[in-house]
Amino acid sequence: MTGMGGGGVETGNPVVVEAFHTLLLHQCLIVLAILLAGSLLWLLLSGPATQPRNNSPEPRARAVLRYGFAGLWILDALLQAQPSMPLGLPDGVLKAGAETSPSWVQHLAASGAGIWIRQPVVSAVAVLWIQLGIGIWMLLAKRGVPSRLAALAGIAWALVIWVSSGFGGIFAPGASLLLGAPGASLLYVLGGVLLLVPTAQWAAPRFQLLIRRLLGGALIAAGILQGFPGRGTWLGIDAKGQVVGQLASMASDMADVRQPSFLSAIVRHFSSFAAHWPILVNGLAVCLLLGVGWVFVLRSTKYLKVAMWIGIVFFLAVWVLVQDLGVFGGLATDPNNMIPLAVLLFAVGTATLQPSEELAASALESLAAPEQTESAPVPQRLPHPIVLWTSTIASVLVIALGVIPLGVAALVGSTDPVLALALNDPPQKANFAAYPLHLVDQHGVPVSMATFRGRAIAMTFLDPVCVTDCPEIGSEMAVTSSLLGSDASKVALVAVLANPTYTSLDAVRAFNRHLGLNSVKNWYFLTGPLPELERVWAYYNAGTVNVAGGAMTLHNDLTYVFDAKGRVRIILNSTPGGTGVLHDSYSALLARELRTVLP
Amino acid sequence: MRRWPFLSAALPMSVLLMAAAGASTPRPVSLPLTASTTNAIQATTVLTVGDLSSSIERFSDVVVERGTKWTVETPPGVATNGGIVMANFGPRLVTATLPSQLLRFTPLASTNDGATWVPGLFDGSIQRAPNALTQRRGITALLDAQGRLHESLNGTSWHTVRLPKALQAAVLRQGPCRGRLVAVALTGAGPVLGRSCSGAVRSSAVTPTGTAMPTNAQSSTPRSTLRLEATALGLREVVWLPKKHSVELHAITAGMAWHDSVVARATLEKVTATAVSMNGSVAVLGRIGDGSVLVQIGPTGVVTAFSSLPPNARAVVFSPSGTMQVLSVVDHVRRQIASLVTVWNVAGSKWMTTTSFGVQVPYGSSH
């Protein structure tokens, strides 16, 4: 695994992708069952019901927000199903998002990626269900407490994403709204915050002005930043003919990624245009941001509708021409910031533009609602409270399907064996007798297969003076022992020395001492006379041979798993691989296979 | 009175400067492991081959000349990416493979014929210097990475020689030497140690009692023992003077007391390989500017410099008959095949090829 992700394992590794799809399919059945049960419950309880406490119509602006962000959460969930998501996200999204940020942001992003790196399959599936659950919840829970809880869930999860992806790149030099800052997830947070606002507030002019000014102010700030000299926004092509302009460069990069040719052509043409006319393009962007922002800040709403639509068209244009729809430039987890920004702009604009009498009626009914709690039930076509709470329970169950495994993974800190499987051959089933070896352990005590009678055995071959794999495997044997917990007493972890030259007990003891293996009670590092070692190597196909020219001894990295009767049941052709995560995955795999043969 | 303000400012400044000078840690001198030693039976050198820019594709090999035949006698079963230090006594060759990557202790091996190897082990890291390992009459001695001296009779059980405080590494770092022990030689009159001193000293060689060798060196300066070899004519110490960019050859003899005579000094910018002959000649291969230079210092102090060298000169070796030879190496990193070693003799100012042989490079084996 390279960097934070899976050094040595390609993001599209078929073993990991298959495990991802299998888990996704299994859990998909659970989700379908939850949704089916929710629908049945709703049908059963959907007869004439009591008048809901608050049946006032939802303000159009809030509905825009709710539907918009619900749709975005569902789209993000679908993006999570990309096959390369389990291994690609840590490097492709989290690290990439933070790589130009200060080191503390990078450290934060790295620590946030920790669980994902250890459990990539579980994490990718879990995030999918969390985001799908939030989306469905937001979609179905139109109002009241369930709707606000859905908004809160969205805020919480969007904050997790925003922090772990390096704060949307706001600390990176050259941060720009048009390039993705401050991150789509922060806009999801803002959308969620607006959904928390009581329905009645949407009719209040002060509230409408407040949210208009907040959004307008943010657009003006973005416009000033975009126009600030020295940030590369006004550049096009340098003296060598290289594209150096901010917008043109990003568009050029985006045009190079795999996508439909017509889209690539559009983005490439824009890149060329922006490279040749940087002042015109950036000047237009700055004017539009400042202009739309200014109209939103004004108390007068005379030009609000025009500004709103200009802003939306501008954001969509940036989304297509600069951000390449947000999903083609690598491993996308969301459609980038322009779509949520357009939703926010439309919702904030609509809040003011919605006919005042409509809002007033909504507000009046909303305010009057508490007084109607004791009134007689009025038959309704849709029993809203039941729909709301049924959808809430179903959504929470779907979210729980993601949150619980993630929480367990974070608490236990275990590593998925699938990483070791991805790097190596799958375990082979076997059924043959053990070689009746006669060697000595690290204490000089004679050892035969009878020594391990009644215990499962993991036997591997280690060179005590090896400089790469053997020390790693030795260390992971200690980890395997701790992963087995109380079952460790039923297991013997055995290494047979694999070096024709360095066969002494001194070499074995030095190896153990430097790797801290002396404290592992069920650890046996066996050596003995070379002829007996050679017979063991030959029987187990260890392939031990010295190579000329200053190379270490060559030998196979095979691990044999024996049952308690001394028969070989599983053969692992595995090495721990290049990083700590893969090491632990090897241990997890070995512990898992040992558990299948425990007495 | 008007001088006081100036003096009051200059005093703390000079104190600060002195403190800074004292506290600064000069860069440790990197001692070239490409080193040759020769006795009456064989000439032995450690040669580095492969991709010299990569720590895991660079391998060290032991190359031995017996009679006119050259053989590669690298100890088997251990990766040599960290380098090899060796010691020759009669037909017996002892090697220590420096730990690299995840290996944390030092595999040793000894041989009398280059074919059969007896493994040994030192449970620690050996000092990275060409004379950190030595042997004489069945005793093997080495310096570990912390500068402690260890001795062994069998190459596996080691006892640490108690050094006086004046020689202990921590004290060395605090004393005028401010360095470490980097070389050990076993002589008939007892062991002699070589130091790498970043502080100014007149002698880098010391006895195990901590007494600095009497020296004829003219001035105190930082100095490092490049080589410390017992020869038929007494001890030879090759000293590197980093501030003066020069090497000094000291002939040290033991009579009633240790006696030192500075034989010669030669200027070089960098040293890449050294050789010591049986009769006390020394050859140093190095660089001045972009060019390779070979300096030979004869036992009587005659200095001969060769600025025209065979291409790719990598090692210098004295044959048992006393002939100086240069080994040039062509690595085939891209094709990942054996490196070609060519042996050159000098006749007048001309270099003549005498033989060539291949050295297998196990590219990729240490990944």
Side-chain angles (χ1 to χ4, degrees), chain A residues 45-68:
Chain A
L45 301 173
S46 65
T50 54
Q51 173 72 17
R53 287 171 56 177
N54 183 355
N55 65 346
S56 59
E58 184 183 24
R60 192 185 300 164
R62 190 181 186 281
V64 165
L65 264 186
R66 192 170 54 76
Y67 284 124

Side-chain angles (χ1 to χ4, degrees), chain A residues 463-469 471-472 499-504 506-511 513-515 546-554, chain B residues 59-61 74-81 100-105 107-109 117 119-121 123-124 156 360-362 365-367:
Chain A
D463 170 6
V465 295
C466 156
V467 299
T468 53
D469 288 350
E472 291 174 345
N499 186 311
T501 308
Y502 293 90
T503 60
S504 69
D506 291 315
V508 163
R509 286 167 182 161
F511 181 90
R513 191 171 75 79
H514 286 276
L515 292 171
N546 273 345
V547 182
M552 61 185 151
T553 299
L554 290 184
Chain B
F59 296 86
S60 287
D61 283 284
T74 307
V78 58
T80 62
N81 308 106
S100 62
Q101 295 197 71
L102 299 175
L103 182 61
R104 296 285 176 267
F105 52 92
L108 298 168
W117 290 87
L121 185 137
D123 194 358
T156 46
Q360 282 189 43
V361 185
S365 65
S366 293
H367 286 257

Side-chain angles (χ1 to χ4, degrees), chain A residues 411-469:
Chain A
L411 287 174
V412 176
S414 60
T415 304
D416 195 336
V418 77
L419 294 171
L421 287 171
L423 194 70
N424 301 287
D425 298 333
Q428 292 172 35
K429 297 286 179 198
N431 186 6
F432 61 88
Y435 174 79
L437 56 82
H438 292 279
L439 298 167
V440 294
D441 68 11
Q442 61 268 36
H443 308 294
V445 177
V447 167
S448 69
M449 291 309 290
T451 308
F452 311 120
R453 188 169 293 147
R455 284 191 280 176
I457 306 166
M459 180 192 283
T460 190
F461 296 85
L462 298 181
D463 170 6
V465 295
C466 156
V467 299
T468 53
D469 288 350

Side-chain angles (χ1 to χ4, degrees), chain A residues 175-471:
Chain A
S176 157
L177 183 76
L178 308 190
L179 303 188
S185 39
L186 185 65
L187 300 176
Y188 288 26
V189 173
L190 298 178
V193 169
L194 286 178
L195 287 174
L196 283 178
V197 174
T199 309
Q201 281 296 324
W202 288 86
R206 280 185 64 185
F207 173 73
Q208 293 168 0
L209 185 62
L210 175 72
I211 58 174
R212 274 207 326 271
R213 286 191 164 168
L214 285 174
L215 186 60
L219 292 177
I220 290 171
I224 293 169
L225 203 64
Q226 190 66 29
F228 207 80
R231 302 179 76 250
T233 52
W234 298 101
L235 300 176
I237 301 172
D238 67 6
K240 294 175 186 171
Q242 299 287 318
V243 176
V244 291
Q246 197 186 52
L247 294 179
S249 296
M250 180 159 173
S252 174
D253 292 345
M254 288 294 178
D256 289 337
V257 299
R258 207 171 65 174
Q259 60 189 304
S261 55
F262 76 93
L263 196 59
S264 169
I266 293 171
V267 178
R268 203 177 297 283
H269 277 111
F270 172 73
S271 168
S272 174
F273 184 80
H276 288 92
W277 301 94
I279 295 173
L280 176 68
V281 171
N282 197 56
L284 185 66
V286 170
C287 288
L288 285 170
L289 286 170
L290 293 176
V292 173
W294 181 247
V295 173
F296 268 67
V297 165
L298 292 175
R299 188 174 291 273
S300 161
T301 59
K302 189 176 177 185
Y303 301 107
L304 186 65
K305 192 170 186 177
V306 176
M308 181 184 81
W309 283 111
I310 288 175
I312 288 169
V313 169
F314 172 59
F315 293 153
L316 290 176
V318 172
W319 185 55
V320 174
L321 299 175
V322 181
Q323 299 183 352
D324 200 9
L325 302 184
V327 293
F328 290 113
L331 189 64
T333 53
D334 56 54
N336 216 333
N337 65 344
M338 284 295 132
I339 297 298
L341 194 59
V343 171
L344 276 175
L345 193 76
F346 187 60
V348 170
T350 306
T352 302
L353 296 170
Q354 189 177 0
S356 54
E357 60 274 20
E358 192 182 313
L359 275 173
S362 157
L364 277 173
E365 288 171 24
S366 175
L367 290 169
E371 294 166 14
Q372 295 173 1
T373 49
E374 301 302 321
S375 62
V378 177
Q380 281 225 323
R381 207 156 60 88
L382 285 175
H384 287 191
I386 291 170
V387 172
L388 287 174
W389 286 107
T390 306
S391 62
T392 295
I393 291 166
S395 305
V396 167
L397 286 174
V398 173
I399 292 170
L401 199 62
V403 169
I404 291 170
L406 265 188
V408 170
L411 287 174
V412 176
S414 60
T415 304
D416 195 336
V418 77
L419 294 171
L421 287 171
L423 194 70
N424 301 287
D425 298 333
Q428 292 172 35
K429 297 286 179 198
N431 186 6
F432 61 88
Y435 174 79
L437 56 82
H438 292 279
L439 298 167
V440 294
D441 68 11
Q442 61 268 36
H443 308 294
V445 177
V447 167
S448 69
M449 291 309 290
T451 308
F452 311 120
R453 188 169 293 147
R455 284 191 280 176
I457 306 166
M459 180 192 283
T460 190
F461 296 85
L462 298 181
D463 170 6
V465 295
C466 156
V467 299
T468 53
D469 288 350
C470 296

